[in-house]
Amino acid sequence: MLDVLPVLLPPSSVPRASSSEWRPTKHLQPPQPPPADDHRQDIAMAAARQLLDGKALKKTRPRRTVDYGGSMGLWVLNRKARPSPGYVPYIRPSAPSIVGLLPPRAYAGNASTSLTTKFVHTSTNKIRCPVNCVAWTPEGRRVLTGSTSGEFTLWNGLTFNFETILQAHDTAVRTLTFTRSGAYLVSADQTGILKYFQPNMNNLTAWQGHREAVRGISFAPDDRRFATASDDSTVRIWDFEESREERVLSGHGWDVRCVQWHPTKGLLVSGSKDNLVKFWDPRTGACLSTLHQHKNTIQAIEWSPNGDLVATASRDQTVRLFDIRAMKEYRILKGHKKEICSLAWHPFHHILVSGGSEGSLLYWDVDAPEAVIGSSSGPNAVPSSAPGIGGGPRATLAQAHDSNVWALAFHPLGHLLASASNDHTTRFWARERPGDAGSTFSGGGVRPPDRAEDADADAQDEDEDDAMAAVPGFAYVGAQQGAAAGAWWGKDEEPALSGFAGGAVGRTDSPFRPGGNVEDGIPGFGRAPATESVAHRQNAPLPPQEDVYGDGGVGGGGGGGGGGGGGRGSRWGPRRGGNRY
């Protein structure tokens, strides 16, 4: 072909056969070691410097960032390609399906996707003191807490680590809330002082609003006014722009512990130490109605998102729901063993979370039939004693905290829950993983009390050295499942297995466990005796498989949390290596 080319072409344009053609040769080389991890080298160098300086070696661990709000973008993308307006992708019952789990708002008819029962992280200040109030910032990127030391603490909403701290008040911060538009923050302290803050924590003004401690603040739907409840037995209505008192609502005979403004209407509801719940007209200051159902102090009041129901929590260990359209008691929720301190409604589903003084969190599905709420299977079932009385919650965290749960706050998207407690900690809870063997997505799922084990301290942040000294609410269901929990025990970012107990065999409508009752992980079937359980991180040889799970007979089935743990030792033989069971 080169011979027939025109002679007039320049020599440089004539193609010639190249002898330097590239040919792959990397596949002919022997296997190479993986590249060195720079982070591990930095850790080793830091440890060596600490040893040279004579300091104690401090364990460091990189903090994983988990974007729990990433499913929102997936939902927006899927809405463009969905075949029908009501189409929602099926949730496959497997752990990898967590990447396809949409935000709670996508599952309008499935409230079980809003049960935030999976422990995520514990955040603790360097100066330990009780945390009285907690609130998510309007955009959901951070969490703001107020403590008895008068400090505001800001926590990151993704990594849950410390961001900043501010000495906002001279005395204990009793309540704080953002305006409904999210443009300002109002807080109050033990001495009755009210303060305005911008979202960047710039203090705008402060004045003496009450003679005694302010227990609650709630804004009107248009943010022009807000109401405060105080220990001086009054509820006061303030003009937000002028910081001026407009009206004093008197009628309670004792300390007013809580007040809430209706989400869309001119209606106030307050609860007091005189056991009364009062409804007020903020325009005239008149008391419209009084409810006498509770037998002890009203600790918390919350309106439902649609404004039809109001939930009241009391020291009489009950949560009562009232329908204001008929001014009748809608339901009584019983399940706490001690007084109830806090309430929180889910932003999209009719899920109500209550926190008790024993440190427990109870999740109530208000839309569920009364038979479902009042009857749960398993050893921890609490039957309903009368029509309309729900005896068992949808899910229970028996030991979420070590002391009173003073405040609860849902993320604006509804997929995370923050809880503030008297045990000096703020804890974060997320939704379950689809198909988790210990999931509580079935009705009446209850965690048994945990068995304390040594936990690794969080050495990544100086403000959280002892954040994971004891992870609450997680327990052994069987020998194998308890050991699986030991694999993540001490990690504060995100556990790999929640270790929920069974007791959830009464319902089969769980989206993550479709069809059939939950037979695995039921306490009392094949559970290994407490004296035979293997301690976490022990150096001695493990006991024989038969000693842990029995002889592999029929009676030992299900003890491993997977439905066949009892027969595993005889069928497959003992495990190899030093795995913890």
Side-chain angles (χ1 to χ4, degrees):
M1 180 177 177
L2 299 178
D3 299 337
V4 298
L5 289 176
V7 181
L8 299 178
L9 288 176
S12 60
S13 63
V14 178
R16 294 182 175 85
S18 176
S19 59
S20 61
E21 181 180 359
W22 178 84
R23 294 177 181 176
T25 58
K26 200 170 184 69
H27 66 283
L28 302 177
Q29 300 177 1
Q32 301 294 326
D37 190 348
D38 296 337
H39 181 73
R40 291 180 180 272
Q41 292 181 356
D42 295 341
I43 293 178
M45 294 178 62
R49 286 194 296 268
Q50 289 183 0
L51 291 176
L52 291 176
D53 296 340
K55 298 180 180 179
L57 184 61
K58 192 174 183 180
K59 181 180 178 182
T60 59
R61 182 172 63 252
R63 183 183 297 278
R64 294 180 299 170
T65 300
V66 182
D67 185 7
Y68 290 95
S71 58
M72 195 68 186
L74 179 63
W75 183 43
V76 173
L77 293 176
N78 290 344
R79 293 179 67 180
K80 298 180 179 180
R82 58 183 175 177
S84 62
Y87 172 77
V88 177
Y90 177 73
I91 305 175
R92 300 182 180 275
S94 60
S97 299
I98 186 69
V99 297
L101 187 63
L102 300 180
R105 191 171 184 177
Y107 308 100
N110 191 351
S112 62
T113 58
S114 298
L115 299 177
T116 54
T117 54
K118 187 180 186 66
F119 174 78
V120 179
H121 187 77
T122 296
S123 298
T124 309
N125 283 347
K126 180 180 293 184
I127 302 176
R128 293 178 174 270
C129 56
V131 184
N132 295 330
C133 43
V134 61
W136 288 87
T137 55
E139 77 281 359
R141 294 178 179 270
R142 294 172 179 86
V143 176
L144 183 66
T145 61
S147 61
T148 55
S149 61
E151 297 173 333
F152 285 170
T153 307
L154 205 61
W155 306 95
N156 188 282
L158 293 180
T159 59
F160 310 115
N161 60 320
F162 169 82
E163 284 201 353
T164 186
I165 193 169
L166 170 69
Q167 187 67 44
H169 289 266
D170 296 331
T171 57
V173 180
R174 289 301 172 188
T175 180
L176 61 87
T177 183
F178 284 92
T179 59
R180 298 184 187 266
S181 64
Y184 297 96
L185 170 72
V186 179
S187 63
D189 63 12
Q190 180 69 27
T191 59
I193 295 178
L194 299 172
K195 289 189 177 184
Y196 290 171
F197 293 89
Q198 291 178 322
N200 60 0
M201 297 303 143
N202 178 34
N203 182 221
L204 299 177
T205 183
W207 76 97
Q208 187 76 35
H210 288 266
R211 299 189 306 271
E212 298 184 34
V214 178
R215 298 291 180 173
I217 297 176
S218 182
F219 273 89
D222 58 359
D223 285 342
R224 294 183 180 180
R225 296 169 180 82
F226 66 94
T228 59
S230 172
D231 285 350
D232 60 9
S233 71
T234 64
V235 175
R236 299 173 188 257
I237 299 177
W238 305 84
D239 183 278
F240 176 71
E241 185 175 354
E242 300 179 5
S243 304
R244 174 177 52 87
E245 180 185 297
E246 287 192 348
R247 193 163 284 105
V248 179
L249 309 181
S250 301
H252 282 290
W254 213 343
D255 303 354
V256 184
R257 307 306 298 266
C258 46
V259 63
Q260 286 293 323
W261 206 304
H262 193 277
T264 58
K265 303 182 184 302
L267 181 63
L268 280 171
V269 59
S270 62
S272 171
K273 207 170 179 180
D274 58 6
N275 311 345
L276 301 181
V277 176
K278 287 181 176 289
F279 292 88
W280 307 87
D281 184 352
R283 301 176 183 86
T284 64
C287 179
L288 302 178
S289 179
T290 302
L291 304 178
H292 302 260
Q293 276 79 353
H294 282 288
K295 302 298 185 292
N296 210 324
T297 302
I298 312 298
Q299 298 275 66
I301 287 182
E302 288 291 337
W303 288 100
S304 62
N306 59 9
D308 293 339
L309 300 176
V310 60
T312 60
S314 171
R315 298 185 68 175
D316 60 9
Q317 306 177 14
T318 63
V319 176
R320 296 175 184 262
L321 303 179
F322 299 94
D323 190 338
I324 65 168
R325 295 168 294 184
M327 286 307 295
K328 291 184 179 180
E329 188 175 85
Y330 175 68
R331 187 168 292 168
I332 306 175
L333 306 178
K334 293 185 178 181
H336 283 278
K337 299 178 181 179
K338 292 185 179 180
E339 63 184 71
I340 305 172
C341 304
S342 55
L343 290 173
W345 283 95
H346 192 272
F348 303 112
H349 292 126
H350 273 193
I351 294 290
L352 179 65
V353 184
S354 59
S357 62
E358 73 274 22
S360 64
L361 294 179
L362 271 62
Y363 297 77
W364 311 90
D365 188 355
V366 179
D367 287 339
E370 296 176 2
V372 174
I373 294 184
S375 62
S376 60
S377 303
N380 297 310
V382 182
S384 60
S385 57
I389 298 180
R394 185 69 181 271
T396 299
L397 304 180
Q399 294 183 355
H401 283 275
D402 298 331
S403 186
N404 304 57
V405 181
W406 290 129
L408 297 169
F410 269 104
H411 189 279
L413 295 180
H415 61 291
L416 289 173
L417 176 69
S419 58
S421 172
N422 194 57
D423 63 3
H424 312 164
T425 64
T426 302
R427 284 178 176 150
F428 297 89
W429 310 87
R431 297 182 292 173
E432 289 291 338
R433 293 183 176 183
D436 197 341
S439 174
T440 60
F441 278 101
S442 298
V446 180
R447 286 183 183 175
D450 64 337
R451 293 163 60 178
E453 291 190 9
D454 54 331
D456 295 334
D458 180 11
Q460 180 68 16
D461 196 337
E462 291 185 356
D463 296 319
E464 303 170 10
D465 289 341
D466 301 325
M468 294 297 295
V471 181
F474 298 88
Y476 283 26
V477 174
Q480 183 178 356
Q481 186 171 351
W488 56 262
W489 195 271
K491 296 181 180 179
D492 54 359
E493 285 82 12
E494 183 182 8
L497 185 64
S498 60
F500 281 13
V505 300
R507 288 171 59 86
T508 60
D509 58 352
S510 168
F512 295 169
R513 300 183 60 81
N517 292 333
V518 184
E519 294 294 326
D520 52 338
I522 303 176
F525 293 86
R527 182 192 291 269
T531 57
E532 297 179 4
S533 59
V534 182
H536 180 56
R537 294 185 178 180
Q538 70 173 10
N539 298 323
L542 293 176
Q545 187 84 357
E546 293 78 11
D547 293 346
V548 178
Y549 295 105
D551 56 359
V554 178
R568 190 178 183 115
S570 59
R571 183 177 180 183
W572 302 107
R575 289 180 180 265
R576 294 177 295 175
N579 294 332
R580 297 188 297 271
Y581 289 91

